[in-house]
Amino acid sequence: MSLKQASVHAKWVIGRVIGTKMRKTAKVRVTRLVLDPYLLKYYNKRKTYFAHDALQQCTVGDIVLLKALPERRSKHVKHELAEIVFKVGAVVDPLTGKKVAGGCFLEPLTESTESTEASLTEKLEQLNISASPSPSLSSPASASPSSPASA
């Protein structure tokens, strides 16, 4: 009486795709921190998983979420691709809304400076960030009666 049961330790893991050369399979590296009990220092421990990617939608560099399969699909494939968390190369600047690669904008910034300043202040207000110091902090400093410059 032998029952087939999956012996996968991690049910859900998140990692970075390091290879997609195999058909419908992605090679994913998962990094986790492990405490050394003697040194009391954390070290990176890496493990590589093979995940089934039926639609072949992930590319090298993507951050993906993997789900353990109830039974292994092949000799090495024990997980399936549940979701692409972050797609590589799809970085968008939160203030301007334009695509960015490193420190360079991929799309040209063609708006005039007045509309850019207005839109930036609107976005800063949405994020509850003020561009100038608040008046409540500056009023007690200016109300001090003794200053060395006036004496």
Side-chain angles (χ1 to χ4, degrees):
M1 184 172 164
S2 65
L3 293 174
K4 235 181 178 179
Q5 187 174 6
S7 62
V8 177
H9 179 64
K11 301 291 182 199
W12 293 88
V13 290
I14 190 164
R16 182 181 301 270
V17 177
I18 59 172
T20 56
K21 299 228 178 191
M22 294 170 282
R23 194 169 49 108
K24 295 188 178 183
T25 304
K27 190 175 182 182
V28 180
R29 175 172 289 152
V30 175
T31 305
R32 59 189 185 97
L33 292 173
V34 177
L35 178 67
D36 185 302
Y38 183 73
L39 297 175
L40 297 178
K41 183 178 178 182
Y42 284 97
Y43 291 98
N44 287 328
K45 186 172 183 179
R46 300 183 310 197
K47 188 168 182 182
T48 303
Y49 293 99
F50 289 101
H52 179 65
D53 181 14
L55 302 176
Q56 296 181 348
Q57 58 189 352
C58 61
T59 58
V60 176
D62 290 346
I63 305 295
V64 295
L65 179 67
L66 302 180
K67 178 186 173 192
L69 292 169
E71 64 180 49
R72 62 171 54 188
R73 201 167 172 82
S74 66
K75 181 179 179 183
H76 297 290
V77 178
K78 300 173 192 165
H79 291 79
E80 68 177 344
L81 180 72
E83 176 186 353
I84 297 178
V85 180
F86 293 111
K87 192 82 173 148
V88 68
V91 179
V92 177
D93 183 34
L95 293 177
T96 60
K98 305 287 184 179
K99 287 190 175 183
V100 179
C104 307
F105 286 98
L106 297 177
E107 300 174 10
L109 298 172
T110 57
E111 297 178 23
S112 65
T113 57
E114 295 174 356
S115 63
T116 305
E117 288 179 11
S119 65
L120 287 178
T121 54
E122 290 173 7
K123 289 185 180 183
L124 287 173
E125 288 173 2
Q126 289 175 356
L127 297 171
N128 295 329
I129 301 172
S130 61
S132 62
S134 64
S136 63
L137 295 175
S138 61
S139 60
S142 63
S144 63
S146 63
S147 65
S150 64

